[in-house]
Amino acid sequence: MSKAIRIHANGGPEVLAYEDADPGQPGEGQILIRHTAIGLNFIDVYYRSGLYPPPGGFPLIPGGEAAGVVLALGTGVNWLKPGDRIAYAVNVGAYCEKRVIAADRVVKVPDGISDEQAAAMMLKGMTAEYLLRRTFPVKAGDTILYHAAAGGVGLILGQWAKHLGATVIGTASSADKIELARAHGFDHVINYKEQDFVAGVAALTGGKKCDVVYDSVGADTFPASLDCLRPLGMFVSFGQSSGPIPPFSMSLLAQKGSIFATRPTLFVYNASREDLVKSAEALFDVVMSGAVEIKINQRYALKDAAKAQADLEARKTTGTTVLIP
């Protein structure tokens, strides 16, 4: 019998139960896949803790990205065959050995990208893609600030932004994480536990500040992130690892320099099949070019998902982590 991690009620890591789970057979437009590696992300914690409502209710199989091998095809799927290597990023359902999934939500993994790399970078890498290329199209000469620089998205985005010619400033919480971020494209990294990052950004930019701030931290970095932007800059809030940003008056954006603010999500940016394929291809291309390197920093067995999530919440992990079925 295939195994999966299920959540039957919100709570701490202890609610992640390792159970038997029959994936069933694929229907029209679906495929059955066997996972070879599964990505670990903070959004998995949000669904477990109750910060985000569980899609479809409980019981819930969490997990938003994975790579694997096609086992069987449903009717109407003519562009894949058994044995093809695929990867995907969706809302939930990845913490399992086998699953049925809509074929139009997966992409083929090219030679030159390992299964572990694909599983570790689909959600994080395509997030970096839309942030850098579509939410705020970063170009040579731009200055950006990225919080949680040593996190999974940060290590990809830092390299990619540097490849685009930007000056890349990050924040991190320890000397080890600062060193890691600097090795992944960041020109400057501010230890936010030892230095006011607003003052640090002002000093690094000669008072000019940044064109864009990418913030996945939330409560702990708001509204200070707004003070790191030059007039007409853009505040991009795409996560809330420290808790949600409290409601604020729109007039605050005027007071801070007529700045723009947005709360994007990957699944809106890649809602169409066309956008999904373009995003994945851009990610695969930049990785295979050598401009962005995907390193797996932690591996856990799927049955140890509770330990993996606990370590993620405690900020004991850096960069990318995979679960191995």
Side-chain angles (χ1 to χ4, degrees):
M1 175 64 72
S2 180
K3 292 286 190 177
I5 296 289
R6 282 202 186 100
I7 300 171
H8 296 273
N10 293 128
E14 69 281 355
V15 303
L16 296 169
Y18 187 59
E19 302 176 343
D20 290 338
D22 182 358
Q25 293 300 311
E28 183 177 358
Q30 296 179 324
I31 57 174
L32 173 66
I33 59 178
R34 174 179 56 82
H35 286 145
T36 52
I38 301 158
L40 178 73
N41 295 280
F42 240 105
I43 194 170
D44 307 343
V45 175
Y46 297 162
Y47 285 128
R48 189 208 74 218
S49 68
L51 183 61
Y52 289 176
F58 294 115
L60 171 73
I61 298 176
E65 65 180 349
V69 177
V70 177
L71 295 180
L73 309 176
T75 57
V77 181
N78 56 16
W79 58 278
L80 288 168
K81 64 182 184 302
D84 280 347
R85 297 169 60 232
I86 58 86
Y88 64 84
V90 295
N91 277 318
V92 293
Y95 281 24
C96 58
E97 293 177 341
K98 297 178 183 178
R99 78 175 296 183
V100 169
I101 192 171
D104 68 357
R105 290 292 91 193
V106 310
V107 296
K108 289 185 179 180
V109 178
D111 294 339
I113 302 288
S114 72
D115 286 10
E116 285 193 1
Q117 285 178 314
M121 75 180 184
M122 292 303 294
L123 192 149
K124 292 176 279 288
M126 290 194 296
T127 296
E129 184 277 326
Y130 85 75
L131 291 173
L132 290 171
R133 288 161 41 96
R134 290 184 278 167
T135 302
F136 184 93
V138 171
K139 62 185 183 303
D142 286 343
T143 300
I144 76 173
L145 173 64
Y146 184 92
H147 290 299
V153 177
L155 297 185
I156 296 173
L157 186 142
Q159 296 176 80
W160 204 334
K162 193 61 182 175
H163 176 63
L164 293 172
T167 297
V168 191
I169 303 172
T171 64
S173 60
S174 68
D176 288 347
K177 290 185 176 183
I178 288 172
E179 182 179 352
L180 183 64
R182 284 177 173 160
H184 288 78
F186 285 86
D187 297 289
H188 312 283
V189 187
I190 299 166
N191 187 329
Y192 66 84
K193 290 192 173 182
E194 297 179 355
Q195 181 184 8
D196 174 9
F197 67 80
V198 176
V201 166
L204 289 169
T205 61
K208 293 181 179 180
K209 304 184 182 180
C210 299
D211 298 282
V212 59
V213 173
Y214 295 112
D215 190 339
S216 65
V217 175
D220 287 354
T221 48
F222 186 86
S225 284
L226 305 184
D227 293 320
C228 296
L229 286 164
R230 62 187 57 177
L232 307 183
M234 180 177 283
F235 172 62
V236 182
S237 170
F238 69 100
Q240 47 197 42
S241 61
S242 68
I245 291 173
F248 64 92
S249 170
M250 290 292 286
S251 64
L252 181 63
L253 303 180
Q255 297 166 17
K256 299 296 185 180
S258 295
I259 61 176
F260 298 86
T262 183
R263 180 57 172 89
T265 66
L266 173 65
F267 302 117
V268 172
Y269 272 82
N270 283 356
S272 74
R273 172 73 184 170
E274 179 182 5
D275 286 335
L276 169 63
V277 171
K278 286 182 178 178
S279 182
E281 287 179 346
L283 173 61
F284 292 148
D285 286 347
V286 79
V287 171
M288 289 190 293
S289 76
V292 172
E293 185 178 7
I294 305 296
K295 292 182 178 178
I296 313 301
N297 290 344
Q298 295 86 207
R299 294 173 176 84
Y300 299 81
L302 175 61
K303 64 182 178 62
D304 296 327
K307 170 65 172 170
Q309 285 201 6
D311 287 350
L312 179 67
E313 288 184 278
R315 303 189 186 279
K316 293 180 180 179
T317 65
T318 58
T320 54
T321 302
V322 294
L323 306 175
I324 306 300

